[in-house]
Amino acid sequence: MNADYLSSIKKLFLYYKTLAEKSMEQLEAQQLFETVNEESNSIAIIVKHLSGNLLSRWTDFLTTDGEKPWRNRDAEFVNGGATKEELMKMWNEGCNCFLKAIEELKPEQMLDIIYIRNEGHTVVEAINRSLTHYSYHTGQIVFAAKMLKKGSWNSLSIPKNASKVYNNDKFSVEKNVKNFADEELKRLKK
């Protein structure tokens, strides 16, 4: 494993983080606590869950199990008890914990064994597990926000009926090698 993998993971994580944040920015504060149906979680619950998961998994991850004794996972799935500002603080704490852990990793540690709920993972497997978990819940945040906006949604990807224009732009330049997240992050931050 090399530093390119870690750089790519960081870019992908920041891309999904930005997608979720741009979705939440489109909502009123109270909408973060609403659900689209009885079986779904509110965005606030997903934020609390992701923050708790990332803090538990990536705090001292090389030396302690990823399911920390101080984590109360069941409490993450209780709605309410926080403001939008408090939710965003939780969100950033979890995200920053993951990013700090990635920043501090050395390529030679990528195949080290770490534990999550007493099950061994290589560091690479744990990173992949976290990134896919994070992207899964980011999709839920985007979908729930879109449903809650009820039609006044600012698209975060290629808008409907705009694929041809988007592809024409992509194919109008020379082939190149880059991480797609670099361009997507620039576009999202406009």
Side-chain angles (χ1 to χ4, degrees):
M1 284 295 134
N2 59 31
D4 290 341
Y5 171 77
L6 292 173
S7 175
S8 178
I9 289 297
K10 183 178 175 185
K11 289 175 185 182
L12 288 170
F13 184 84
L14 290 171
Y15 167 69
Y16 289 114
K17 179 180 186 291
T18 304
L19 278 178
E21 290 169 353
K22 291 293 184 180
S23 297
M24 291 186 279
E25 286 172 10
Q26 294 189 50
L27 299 175
E28 299 298 323
Q30 80 278 1
Q31 289 178 301
L32 296 172
F33 299 90
E34 295 176 17
T35 58
V36 294
N37 62 47
E38 290 181 20
E39 294 299 315
S40 63
N41 290 315
S42 69
I43 291 171
I45 284 174
I46 297 168
V47 166
K48 290 190 320 184
H49 170 60
L50 282 175
S51 178
N53 179 275
L54 290 170
L55 286 169
S56 184
R57 297 293 183 262
W58 297 100
T59 300
D60 302 323
F61 75 100
L62 291 170
T63 56
T64 62
D65 194 281
E67 189 64 20
K68 304 295 187 284
W70 44 258
R71 182 181 184 202
N72 184 351
R73 186 180 182 280
D74 292 334
E76 296 165 12
F77 291 91
V78 176
N79 216 3
T83 64
K84 181 175 184 175
E85 292 75 24
E86 291 167 333
L87 282 174
M88 295 315 294
K89 183 179 179 205
M90 280 184 238
W91 173 260
N92 285 315
E93 286 173 3
C95 293
N96 291 339
C97 183
F98 176 80
L99 290 168
K100 181 177 184 265
I102 297 301
E103 287 287 330
E104 293 176 356
L105 268 173
K106 295 171 181 50
E108 61 269 16
Q109 295 174 303
M110 301 306 289
L111 298 179
D112 287 0
I113 300 297
I114 65 168
Y115 291 88
I116 300 172
R117 293 191 181 109
N118 227 23
E119 296 175 350
H121 296 64
T122 64
V123 170
V124 171
E125 290 170 329
I127 291 169
N128 291 341
R129 178 177 173 171
S130 275
L131 186 62
T132 56
H133 181 242
Y134 192 80
S135 63
Y136 169 79
H137 285 303
T138 296
Q140 291 177 325
I141 290 171
V142 173
F143 182 75
K146 195 172 183 178
M147 296 293 96
L148 290 165
K149 285 295 287 184
K150 297 182 177 149
S152 58
W153 178 252
N154 294 321
S155 180
L156 301 174
S157 62
I158 304 167
K160 285 184 179 183
N161 301 313
S163 295
K164 188 171 184 158
V165 170
Y166 182 83
N167 285 339
N168 286 341
D169 288 343
K170 288 290 187 181
F171 286 106
S172 70
V173 297
E174 290 293 317
K175 287 184 180 181
N176 58 68
V177 178
K178 62 182 174 183
N179 188 308
F180 90 98
D182 289 331
E183 188 174 311
E184 289 300 304
L185 280 167
K186 284 180 196 170
R187 186 184 57 75
L188 286 170
K189 290 184 178 188
K190 286 182 182 178

